[in-house]
């Protein structure tokens, strides 16, 4: 990461838990590099959610979430959440990397954002981005998000518990080449998950690899309990074959380069009984 930084770098943007390769970022290592170079860190915490991971406590400046996933757990509404740390203005003020916050905004009567005593990123997102682009959440969708947040902590614990059980089943299955789930002791992300996630709970997203594109498609089509859709974070379990759906525009070499081999299957584990999910996967493997 450090080798890629130059005069034009505005931010280091990363995910706490990446989708679909399911890696856990070393947050402290990334924020240390950013501080050394006076650069902002922005992290997408959608998959971990604030229940499992609180990046501000590890030195991140701005946290963003897609609220369209675990927030309602029902895929009901599209929205986003942005949270910034206290005192971000002191870091941005006079920092040559950020003229858009330090110079007068002509479209807002010469307002200089660092001079306003309000949360800086949130203010600018509201005053210019949302005003210009109109991507404002409707009152009804906001209400759905608020309802969903009430049960988020309970659901995230159960998603994590269920995913752990399914991951262990997959790891023991002869047709599975590799399982990507940070809750597994054998996983290279296990130490980071223990360090950054509440009690090492690793959310509901996992992926696993079977021998071929065709075999992966066959398994996905044979499941009965899983919904075959590209969303994640739903209370109902979801199965996706990235190489034939979300990533189908990539060549085989590009798929491997971005950590999505053609035999990779992604699961978003829901709140059903784990034994039912395992039975469904077992029959799909045999199909
Ligand atoms: C879905 C998703 C997004 C995009 O969010 P939308 O609410 O669909 O616009 C961004 N980041 C992650 C990690 C996601 O899963």
């Amino acid at each position: 990461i450090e080798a890629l930084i130059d005069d034009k770098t505005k931010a280091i943007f990363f995910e706490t838990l990446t989708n679909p390769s399911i890696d856990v970022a070393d947050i402290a290592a990334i924020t240390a590099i950013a501080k050394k170079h006076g650069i902002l860190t922005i992290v997408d915490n959608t998959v971990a959610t604030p229940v499992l991971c609180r990046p501000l406590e590890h030195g991140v400046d701005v946290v963003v979430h897609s609220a369209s996933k675990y927030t309602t757990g029902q895929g009901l509404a599209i929205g986003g959440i942005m949270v910034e740390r206290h005192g971000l203005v002191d870091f941005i003020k006079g920092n040559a990397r950020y003229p858009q916050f330090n110079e007068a905004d002509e479209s807002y009567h010469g307002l200089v954002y660092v001079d306003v005593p309000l949360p800086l990123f949130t203010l600018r997102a509201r005053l210019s981005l949302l005003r210009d682009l109109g991507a404002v959440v409707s009152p009804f969708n906001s209400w759905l998000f608020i309802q969903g947040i009430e049960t988020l902590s309970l659901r995230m614990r159960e998603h994590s518990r269920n995913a752990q059980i399914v991951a262990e089943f997959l790891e023991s299955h002869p047709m599975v080449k590799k399982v990507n789930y940070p809750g597994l002791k054998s996983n290279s992300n296990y130490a980071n998950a223990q360090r950054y996630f509440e009690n090492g709970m690793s959310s509901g997203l996992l992926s696993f690899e079977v021998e071929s594109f065709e075999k992966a498609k066959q398994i996905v089509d044979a499941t009965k309990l899983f919904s075959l859709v590209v969303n994640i974070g739903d209370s109902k379990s979801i199965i996706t074959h990235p190489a034939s759906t979300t990533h189908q525009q990539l060549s085989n070499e590009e798929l491997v380069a971005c950590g999505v081999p053609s035999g990779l299957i992604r699961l978003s584990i829901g709140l059903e009984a784990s034994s039912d999910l395992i039975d469904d996967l077992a029959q799909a493997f045999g199909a």
Side-chain angles (χ1 to χ4, degrees):
I1 290 171
E2 190 160 23
L4 293 169
I5 294 172
D6 64 17
D7 294 347
K8 289 183 286 188
T9 307
K10 297 290 184 194
I12 300 176
F13 182 84
F14 63 107
E15 289 172 280
T16 44
L17 188 51
T18 66
N19 168 18
S21 56
I22 330 286
D23 290 310
V24 181
D26 186 345
I27 306 174
I30 294 173
T31 55
I33 293 170
K35 287 214 170 65
K36 185 172 151 196
H37 293 271
I39 296 169
L40 279 166
T41 43
I42 306 174
V43 76
D44 183 328
N45 194 38
T46 299
V47 181
T49 79
V51 176
L52 305 185
C53 183
R54 286 173 292 279
L56 296 184
E57 293 172 6
H58 301 287
V60 171
D61 296 308
V62 180
V63 187
V64 294
H65 297 94
S66 164
S68 323
K69 312 292 169 53
Y70 286 112
T71 310
T72 70
Q74 290 160 329
L76 289 174
I78 291 177
I81 301 166
M82 185 172 75
V83 184
E84 65 184 87
R85 70 169 172 86
H86 287 296
L88 197 54
V89 64
D90 300 327
F91 177 78
I92 300 284
K93 199 164 191 163
N95 187 326
R97 291 188 189 272
Y98 307 105
Q100 64 274 58
F101 287 99
N102 283 290
E103 291 168 10
D105 180 355
E106 289 316 322
S107 83
Y108 226 95
H109 310 290
L111 181 79
V112 179
Y113 287 93
V114 290
D115 292 340
V116 184
L118 288 169
L120 195 67
F121 255 66
T122 317
L123 181 76
R124 192 179 156 92
R126 283 200 178 134
L127 292 193
S128 63
L129 283 173
L130 292 187
R131 178 199 61 180
D132 295 348
L133 302 177
V136 181
V137 179
S138 73
F140 183 71
N141 285 7
S142 303
W143 179 79
L144 291 174
F145 293 137
I146 293 166
Q147 302 307 302
I149 285 170
E150 291 181 2
T151 55
L152 184 62
S153 65
L154 289 172
R155 287 185 285 112
M156 291 316 295
R157 273 179 246 152
E158 190 61 16
H159 280 296
S160 303
R161 201 181 72 88
N162 255 359
Q164 180 76 31
I165 295 169
V166 173
E168 285 167 12
F169 160 75
L170 290 169
E171 195 169 42
S172 70
H173 198 284
M175 276 166 77
V176 176
K177 282 165 66 181
K178 185 169 184 244
V179 183
N180 303 307
Y181 188 65
L184 293 173
K185 285 212 170 76
S186 59
N187 189 272
S188 59
N189 295 284
Y190 181 77
N192 277 345
Q194 293 296 315
R195 177 172 178 190
Y196 295 114
F197 296 165
E198 188 79 24
N199 294 324
M201 288 187 291
S202 299
S203 191
L205 208 60
L206 61 91
S207 62
F208 64 97
E209 221 182 304
V210 293
E211 62 177 357
S212 66
F213 181 95
E214 281 314 317
K215 189 68 207 170
K217 271 196 79 163
Q218 203 183 326
I219 291 169
V220 163
D221 286 339
T223 55
K224 295 186 176 125
L225 195 52
F226 288 79
S227 306
L228 180 48
V229 294
V230 298
N231 193 29
I232 61 164
D234 206 285
S235 297
K236 293 183 283 182
S237 291
I238 292 166
I239 192 164
T240 311
H241 179 218
S244 65
T245 56
T246 53
H247 292 65
Q248 63 175 300
Q249 71 277 18
L250 302 183
S251 70
N252 263 336
E253 296 71 43
E254 288 168 330
L255 283 172
V256 172
C258 69
V260 187
S262 60
L264 189 82
I265 294 173
R266 186 185 72 187
L267 300 180
S268 173
I269 297 295
L271 305 176
E272 304 93 338
S274 55
S275 53
D276 286 344
L277 297 172
I278 288 173
D279 283 352
D280 194 28
L281 288 168
Q283 68 78 23
F285 280 121

